Amino acid sequence: MQIQDLPYPDPGAPDARSGPRFLWWLFRNQLDGQCKALAWGLLHFLSVSALPFCVGVAVQAVVDRSGSRLALAGGLLALCCAGSALGDTFLHRAAVTNWITAAARVQQVLARKAAHLGSALTRRVAAGEVVAVSTGDVEKIGWFVEALSRFTAAAVTIVVVCVGLVVYQPALGVVVAVGLPVLALAVLPLLPRATRRADVQREKAGRATELASDTVAGLRVLRGIGGEELFLDRYRAASQEVRHAAVRSARMWSLISAIQVLLPGLLLITVVWYGVRLAGAGRVDVGELVAVYSSVMILTYPLRHFEEIAMAYSFSRPSARRAARVLSLERATDTGGARAGTEPPSGDLYDPATGLLAPAGRLTAVVCGDPDAAGRLAERLGGHPSEKGESVLLGGVPLDEVPLDTARTAVLVQDKDPVLLSGTLRDLFDVPRSGDVDPEPALVAAQCQDVLAALVQGSVGAADPMDSRITERGRSLSGGQRQRLALARSLVTDPEVLVLDEPTSAVDSHTEARIAQGVRELRAGRTTVVFTSSPLLLDRADRVVLVHEGEVVAVGVHRELLHSEPRYRAVVTREPDADRDGSEDGARQSPTPGGPGLPAGADAGSGLDDVLKELEEIEESA
């Protein structure tokens, strides 16, 4: 196991049934590194612990005036020092390797799970918790995994030294052998309370992280409505709660550390007092007393690893539990790829739940009065949704039974809030695609000319627009500019089926008209589904479908539906809710003079004429 082997080609399938099981899975997956750390740890700790015996032999040799034994003691001291230095060097190397590999493996399985779940992840786990798991928690998990081998080496060393002391000097050795286990186990009653306080600190830190990420994401909006200080005050309050929880946790760990200093000191005093009495009675030699005294002092070094492993486990257990919670999430419709090995399907896209049909090679617009319902339907059309339900069919093949990567190749869904990652514009378009659509025509179809100019102006030394840089999440751009760049990226992928959820909600009507025409021309011969209530997009669609209360209730073209379907007209022309229920009374009342939503003396027909006239004016200007 070497650090240069990272990342792993396959990090493995984690055991996410519980936090301890996840930690054990990590430990088992790097047994080679753990054995190396254990071996070097034993060499280091045993060499350090043997120093007092060498010193005792040297002191006794001086007392007995034995030059040969003094030379032997000197050789043993040199050998122990060399073993200690060599063991410490390679123990540190092995421990750091174990820590990095464990943390890297956790990050890999988390990234793989996030990619598998997609948008379903943040719907089931708070964004702040995901951030906490993928940053701070992986370090704590790696800390415990690498500390385990060092603790094992320290524990073995203490047992060996206790046995050696009993054999070397039984009278004093028994005292040390009885006292050391008491020292090691004395802090156990305090660990549950320390763990609870550490859990509270982690929980409050996760909430503060979530609040901070949400505040930063909506900073521009907060400044616009004057709510920046309000959210900053909330974050200050949350951070103070984290600070108070951290102080309470630190107090408990300080008490544990104090006990780890106090009890060895008391044991040392007991050994010295009892040893002096035995020496005065002639039952022990001076060299033996020095050796036992030095051994007790040296053993405080491996004893500190008992405190470290307790702290590491207390901190890593909630972290491992959170990681296991994320890793245990599964898609509600995951069938394990029942049709694995099949080619990406093609053909008509059909949703049995609503009756929505998107014919192959056509531009289909979907009108849905409920934006949330539209978002759920768009997700379902992509296959493998986060909620259970009947599978969408593409060419008669259930998408939920197709492997996830194959389904994503066949159907691409762009939701309402697409994310732009930081990097160059060239990086933005470095996505899996068919190769039939280049970035330039996609940018033209999405009307991104002004976006390119803004990016070049904001990027120093970027002569080529493709080398201009995009800031994190595209925050230097307006909402409409981000939306158009995301649309261009979706067009570049050129999937068999492209599903767009409100792709032009943040642009003006003239730009929207040009985008509608550009998308229609660029996607000619491909299946495109657009969720929108914009008359400009609806007028360019080959087929318009009205979904009302989860069912398809009308199919046609835009201008026909405006005249024939009052529920469609209510959504598109923003008429009052009285006409949206589709009741017979509403249908009868809508054409009458002075009907709901129309001024006195006007009728629904004149309102439709105004809408159609406005459409024609925008088309002419575009």
Side-chain angles (χ1 to χ4, degrees):
M1 180 185 58
Q2 299 292 333
I3 293 180
Q4 57 261 33
D5 296 332
L6 299 176
Y8 293 109
D10 180 14
D15 187 349
R17 289 176 289 178
S18 65
R21 288 178 181 273
F22 180 62
L23 292 174
W24 176 243
W25 174 80
L26 285 173
F27 182 83
R28 286 189 293 105
N29 275 272
Q30 52 186 77
L31 278 179
D32 180 57
Q34 297 292 343
C35 292
K36 289 180 180 178
L38 176 61
W40 292 117
L42 286 173
L43 176 62
H44 172 61
F45 289 129
L46 290 175
S47 297
V48 171
S49 301
L51 290 174
F53 293 96
C54 298
V55 172
V57 172
V59 170
Q60 193 61 43
V62 171
V63 171
D64 296 340
R65 298 180 181 276
S66 173
S68 59
R69 279 191 293 164
L70 183 61
L72 176 63
L76 292 176
L77 277 172
L79 185 62
C80 289
C81 288
S84 174
L86 184 66
D88 189 28
T89 300
F90 285 95
L91 171 62
H92 179 74
R93 175 187 174 89
V96 171
T97 302
N98 289 336
W99 176 63
I100 292 177
T101 51
R105 190 186 296 272
V106 175
Q107 286 182 326
Q108 278 190 258
V109 294
L110 284 172
R112 185 174 63 179
K113 177 60 68 172
H116 177 72
L117 292 175
S119 61
L121 176 61
T122 52
R123 295 180 186 177
R124 299 164 69 180
V125 180
E129 184 171 349
V130 177
V131 173
V133 170
S134 59
T135 54
D137 283 342
V138 295
E139 296 184 2
K140 298 177 181 64
I141 293 172
W143 175 28
F144 173 75
V145 172
E146 71 86 9
L148 198 56
S149 56
R150 289 189 290 114
F151 162 74
T152 305
V156 171
T157 299
I158 290 175
V159 172
V160 171
V161 171
C162 287
V163 172
L165 285 176
V166 171
V167 175
Y168 180 69
Q169 177 42 252
L172 290 175
V174 170
V175 175
V176 176
V178 172
L180 283 177
V182 174
L183 298 184
L185 302 177
V187 297
L188 287 182
L190 299 177
L191 288 180
R193 181 176 297 181
T195 302
R196 286 195 297 270
R197 293 189 178 185
D199 290 346
V200 171
Q201 179 190 353
R202 298 297 177 282
E203 181 181 354
K204 292 184 179 296
R207 286 201 296 265
T209 303
E210 181 180 359
L211 180 60
S213 61
D214 291 344
T215 302
V216 172
L219 194 57
R220 177 177 294 183
V221 177
L222 293 176
R223 287 174 177 171
I225 64 176
E228 183 178 2
E229 285 300 323
L230 173 63
F231 277 81
L232 286 177
D233 289 341
R234 290 182 181 178
Y235 180 72
R236 291 189 187 101
S239 64
Q240 288 302 311
E241 291 182 6
V242 175
R243 183 178 67 85
H244 291 311
V247 170
R248 293 186 73 248
S249 179
R251 286 174 181 168
M252 184 57 63
W253 289 112
S254 298
L255 176 60
I256 293 175
S257 298
I259 293 175
Q260 290 290 312
V261 173
L262 175 64
L263 294 184
L266 293 177
L267 177 62
L268 190 61
I269 292 173
T270 302
V271 170
V272 171
W273 173 78
Y274 186 54
V276 168
R277 294 189 61 184
L278 292 177
R283 295 175 57 186
V284 298
D285 295 332
V286 175
E288 292 175 338
L289 178 59
V290 171
V292 175
Y293 169 77
S294 302
S295 295
V296 175
M297 290 191 64
I298 290 295
L299 285 179
T300 57
Y301 170 50
L303 269 176
R304 287 203 297 268
H305 288 77
F306 284 77
E307 176 191 352
E308 182 190 10
I309 197 64
M311 183 180 294
Y313 181 71
S314 299
F315 278 77
S316 65
R317 187 176 60 85
S319 298
R321 186 174 62 244
R322 281 196 294 267
R325 179 191 172 195
V326 174
L327 294 172
S328 63
L329 297 176
E330 296 292 344
R331 287 185 170 272
T333 56
D334 193 355
T335 61
R339 296 175 179 263
T342 60
E343 293 294 326
S346 61
D348 296 343
L349 183 66
Y350 177 68
D351 177 29
T354 60
L356 173 63
L357 173 65
R362 306 280 296 279
L363 173 58
T364 302
V366 181
V367 177
C368 187
D370 184 359
D372 293 333
R376 291 192 295 270
L377 178 54
E379 180 191 15
R380 191 162 66 248
L381 291 180
H384 297 270
S386 57
E387 299 177 357
K388 289 185 177 181
E390 196 170 358
S391 176
V392 170
L393 305 178
L394 179 60
V397 178
L399 276 180
D400 293 349
E401 297 180 7
V402 176
L404 183 61
D405 55 347
T406 305
R408 292 292 176 264
T409 302
V411 182
L412 174 66
V413 179
Q414 177 182 303
D415 58 19
K416 291 185 180 68
D417 187 23
V419 176
L420 301 182
L421 300 179
S422 58
T424 65
L425 192 59
R426 197 182 309 278
D427 296 334
L428 179 70
F429 291 110
D430 186 17
V431 292
R433 57 179 186 262
S434 66
D436 294 336
V437 178
D438 294 327
E440 184 176 352
L443 289 166
V444 173
Q447 298 298 307
C448 294
Q449 294 84 346
D450 62 317
V451 184
L452 297 180
L455 289 174
V456 171
Q457 186 177 3
S459 301
V460 179
D464 187 351
M466 298 300 292
D467 294 328
S468 57
R469 296 199 63 82
I470 302 173
T471 57
E472 182 183 1
R473 299 182 69 92
R475 290 196 175 97
S476 61
L477 303 173
S478 67
Q481 290 174 328
R482 290 196 300 269
Q483 199 172 57
R484 282 178 281 163
L485 274 182
L487 176 59
R489 178 180 59 187
S490 298
L491 293 174
V492 163
T493 60
D494 190 37
E496 179 69 24
V497 179
L498 176 60
V499 180
L500 304 172
D501 189 4
E502 293 290 352
T504 59
S505 59
V507 301
D508 61 83
S509 57
H510 296 282
T511 304
E512 189 175 28
R514 291 192 290 268
I515 291 175
Q517 185 62 32
V519 171
R520 180 182 176 86
E521 294 175 354
L522 193 64
R523 291 287 300 172
R526 292 290 206 181
T527 308
T528 307
V529 181
V530 182
F531 286 80
T532 183
S533 60
S534 167
L536 295 169
L537 288 176
L538 295 170
D539 200 42
R540 287 287 193 275
D542 299 317
R543 194 168 185 265
V544 178
V545 179
L546 173 63
V547 178
H548 181 71
E549 295 183 353
E551 294 183 359
V552 173
V553 295
V555 179
V557 295
H558 171 59
R559 304 197 183 209
E560 291 178 358
L561 291 176
L562 273 178
H563 288 284
S564 62
E565 179 55 59
R567 289 170 292 190
Y568 179 83
R569 183 167 58 249
V571 176
V572 174
T573 63
R574 309 299 194 272
E575 289 184 7
D577 291 343
D579 283 348
R580 290 194 184 187
D581 56 5
S583 63
E584 294 182 1
D585 293 340
R588 286 195 299 268
Q589 292 174 3
S590 57
T592 60
L598 296 176
D603 58 22
S606 62
L608 291 178
D609 291 340
D610 292 339
V611 173
L612 295 176
K613 184 177 179 181
E614 183 180 355
L615 280 173
E616 293 172 356
E617 291 176 352
I618 293 175
E619 290 173 1
E620 292 175 359
S621 62

